[in-house]
Amino acid sequence: MAGRTYNDLAQYPVFPWILRDYTSEELDLNNPAVFRDLSKPIGVVNEKNAKAVKDKYENFEDPLGIIDKFHYGTHYSNAAGVMHYLIRVEPFTTLHIQLQSGRFDCADRQFHSIPATWQALMDNPNDVKELIPEFFYFPEFLENQNGFNLGQLQISKEVVNDVVLPKWAHSPEDFIYKHRKALESEYVSAHLHEWIDLIFGYKQRGPAAVEALNVFYYCTYE
């Protein structure tokens, strides 16, 4: 119904980030504070980013009149993002290498840690990647079972191997189990429609999208 398919990386199914707590030892799904605010686009879930995003929109003007004003120059779902998350699993590994002109991208830009990925989203309003369905059912994508040499991080010199999990997850299977439980929780059930309005509903375009800080680069629309 969403017009999305596993057969096209440019139209891949899109799922929301639903949690904001990736540092606690235990995950308390009865506490609303552990959940992301589903009424806001991921780029402004961190309130600090809202002003920069708004200013960018209001001050943008294309002298040729081709490009409409936008809040985000990237998108919450694209082929490169899917490959980014699935880099450890074929055929996505090969597709990633082709995209990067025959080699792996530098280690610091790879998907190597779930807590670090969330933190990067909170710090950078230009990164607006949402999740893919695999985060809720496919633990293998979090493990480097094929032993790919993904390099090492520049500052810590840490070798990139399996994805670093939140403290509350004891294994990839445990992460998927708890993350799926969070998706099925009372809180998400009560608020998921707010996110659907942004991605599939009336806040995609027009005045409602402007108000919600949810306008993307013009090429991302039909």
Side-chain angles (χ1 to χ4, degrees):
M1 285 178 78
R4 289 184 167 262
T5 170
Y6 283 105
N7 299 323
D8 180 355
L9 292 187
Q11 294 293 331
Y12 209 74
V14 56
F15 270 59
W17 284 91
I18 51 169
L19 296 171
R20 62 189 310 162
D21 181 0
Y22 296 95
T23 52
S24 300
E25 299 287 341
E26 297 292 324
L27 181 64
D28 178 8
L29 294 179
N30 294 316
N31 178 5
V34 305
F35 293 96
R36 165 239 176 130
D37 182 345
L38 287 158
S39 69
K40 294 178 179 171
I42 194 70
V44 291
V45 165
N46 182 349
E47 199 59 50
K48 289 179 183 159
N49 294 335
K51 187 180 182 317
V53 165
K54 209 171 179 178
D55 289 349
K56 178 178 173 182
Y57 179 88
E58 285 169 359
N59 296 323
F60 179 82
E61 208 162 292
D62 176 20
L64 298 174
I66 297 167
I67 303 171
D68 294 331
K69 288 175 183 279
F70 59 90
H71 294 115
Y72 314 104
T74 57
H75 204 242
Y76 53 76
S77 171
N78 58 42
V82 176
M83 290 179 227
H84 174 77
Y85 286 136
L86 295 176
I87 188 173
R88 291 162 180 78
V89 187
E90 289 289 16
F92 304 98
T93 312
T94 299
L95 290 168
H96 168 92
I97 289 169
Q98 286 171 354
L99 182 72
Q100 297 295 333
S101 312
R103 57 185 174 73
F104 284 114
D105 194 7
C106 83
D108 288 75
R109 282 203 295 264
Q110 285 170 18
F111 175 50
H112 62 270
S113 159
I114 292 171
T117 302
W118 173 256
Q119 196 50 52
L121 285 171
M122 292 302 95
D123 294 342
N124 178 9
N126 298 318
D127 186 356
V128 293
K129 274 192 294 296
E130 291 280 11
L131 298 183
I132 53 175
E134 284 78 356
F135 275 82
F136 301 93
Y137 73 85
F138 187 52
E140 286 80 1
F141 92 101
L142 298 167
E143 299 174 286
N144 187 14
Q145 292 184 355
N146 294 313
F148 294 122
N149 178 4
L150 300 170
Q152 60 185 93
L153 304 178
Q154 281 177 330
I155 295 172
S156 66
K157 301 295 179 217
E158 193 186 330
V159 172
V160 175
N161 193 25
D162 294 346
V163 176
V164 176
L165 303 171
K167 287 181 186 170
W168 46 257
H170 308 300
S171 67
E173 290 76 13
D174 188 44
F175 171 79
I176 296 292
Y177 170 72
K178 287 173 178 166
H179 204 213
R180 177 69 166 259
K181 215 171 164 185
L183 183 67
E184 304 289 352
S185 68
E186 286 296 320
Y187 180 91
V188 174
S189 297
H191 292 276
L192 189 61
H193 67 280
E194 297 169 352
W195 180 82
I196 290 171
D197 286 340
L198 295 167
I199 306 294
F200 303 114
Y202 78 105
K203 291 183 178 176
Q204 284 179 85
R205 307 185 78 158
V210 175
E211 196 180 330
L213 305 180
N214 193 42
V215 180
F216 293 85
Y217 192 66
Y218 79 109
C219 289
T220 61
Y221 296 97
E222 237 179 337

